[in-house]
Amino acid sequence: MRITIADWDPRPEARAAQAAALAAHAAAEQSDMILLPEMPLCPWLAASPERDAALWEQSVRDHESGLDDLGALAGTALAGSRPVLDPAGQPLNRAFLWQDARIAAEPHEKAALPEEEGYWESRWYDAGRQQAVPLDWNGVRIGFAICTELWDWDHACRLSRAGADVLLVPRATPDLGSDVWIAGARALAARTGCYVLSSNFAYPGAAGFDFEGLSVAADPDGGLLAVTSKERPYATVSISVSAARQAKAAYPRYILDKMKEKKGAP
């Protein structure tokens, strides 16, 4: 399987040109899936400390229609997260897998919600239910972690022990002047024995709050497969199911997982 990571500008005026460029890349690289960033079809809502219910509802609609348009153009499956309102009207940030003109699966909801400058997420939506069992897609077992949850190793390790081959991490992270998110993805891969792929926004936000890009892919031993840049905003990597499954029994995973089992940890 081949999966594309992508730097992405969610502003409407940028969408058409980059969607065409991303689709061309996916076709040239024979990609099976494109991983998009966190809530990719609207500018970052949680930059404002004041929740706007009408804006959230509009974003829900924009994602419902926009994913169909982007998926039809790209000709691949799409993954990421999107804003939703559940049947009770509860706002959530929910992971998705889009395929064949529909949302094929929504196995995970973001539970780790920051509340700080630029990231007033807990004011915009509620903590949801994290994925417990990997999603089996075309023979590959997929787990999700949304942005901050890249650092939630308990969640990722539960998915790894349940058989995940790949962890998909859509995110919306700022330019910190460092490669901490690249390092985090590599460390998570080495700990879990999963491929870790993360796509991010890349655009200038409000009041100088810029999103960094630096989408990243790491192999099950923490090796760096790809990092995007301004010159190369997309990258496609191959996933080996056998490599991910063999990694689970290798150092350091088998030691740490045995410790968890002895302690009776979830």
Side-chain angles (χ1 to χ4, degrees):
M1 177 181 292
R2 288 174 62 74
I3 300 179
T4 298
I5 55 174
D7 290 354
W8 184 258
D9 184 341
R11 295 174 297 179
E13 63 269 24
R15 197 172 300 160
Q18 70 178 337
L22 178 55
H25 170 92
E29 294 293 328
Q30 298 183 315
S31 179
D32 300 294
M33 175 191 291
I34 295 170
L35 174 62
L36 297 166
E38 183 176 11
M39 299 194 291
L41 297 181
C42 63
W44 183 240
L45 299 177
S48 170
E50 301 298 327
R51 183 178 187 274
D52 184 327
L55 196 57
W56 183 266
E57 291 173 7
Q58 181 61 53
S59 180
V60 170
R61 293 191 294 270
D62 288 346
H63 280 76
E64 288 173 347
S65 60
L67 289 174
D68 288 345
D69 293 342
L70 180 57
L73 178 64
T76 68
L78 304 175
S81 82
R82 65 180 185 131
V84 301
L85 290 168
D86 75 1
Q90 180 183 25
L92 297 164
N93 183 350
R94 182 177 289 166
F96 68 83
L97 174 64
W98 181 100
Q99 186 179 25
D100 298 331
R102 65 186 181 89
I103 298 293
E106 295 182 290
H108 176 78
E109 294 164 353
K110 188 174 183 179
L113 308 186
E115 185 172 5
E116 59 184 87
E117 191 65 35
Y119 289 88
W120 302 105
E121 294 174 64
S122 64
R123 302 185 183 187
W124 278 83
Y125 54 91
D126 298 332
R129 294 184 179 180
Q130 290 184 311
Q131 182 180 9
V133 178
L135 170 69
D136 194 330
W137 185 70
N138 293 342
V140 178
R141 300 167 186 161
I142 295 173
F144 283 90
I146 300 174
C147 201
T148 300
E149 293 173 331
L150 179 139
W151 307 106
D152 182 356
W153 283 22
D154 286 342
H155 167 62
C157 287
R158 281 193 295 270
L159 287 171
S160 173
R161 290 194 297 273
D165 303 310
V166 181
L167 298 176
L168 300 181
V169 188
R171 72 184 208 268
T173 61
D175 185 354
L176 299 174
S178 74
D179 64 352
V180 64
W181 287 90
I182 296 172
R186 296 183 67 182
L188 185 62
R191 171 60 188 92
T192 60
C194 298
Y195 288 86
V196 175
L197 278 64
S198 180
S199 291
N200 191 26
F201 284 145
Y203 77 105
F209 187 84
D210 297 337
F211 292 91
E212 66 178 350
L214 295 181
S215 299
V216 59
D219 71 22
D221 289 315
L224 191 61
L225 295 175
V227 178
T228 59
S229 64
K230 289 182 180 179
E231 297 73 29
R232 188 173 176 245
Y234 318 124
T236 298
V237 299
S238 294
I239 303 300
S240 167
V241 167
S242 62
R245 295 178 186 175
Q246 290 168 11
K248 305 295 189 298
Y251 180 92
R253 275 80 59 175
Y254 78 94
I255 302 169
L256 300 173
D257 287 345
K258 281 184 179 179
M259 291 173 62
K260 286 279 190 181
E261 290 173 6
K262 288 181 180 179
K263 294 177 181 178

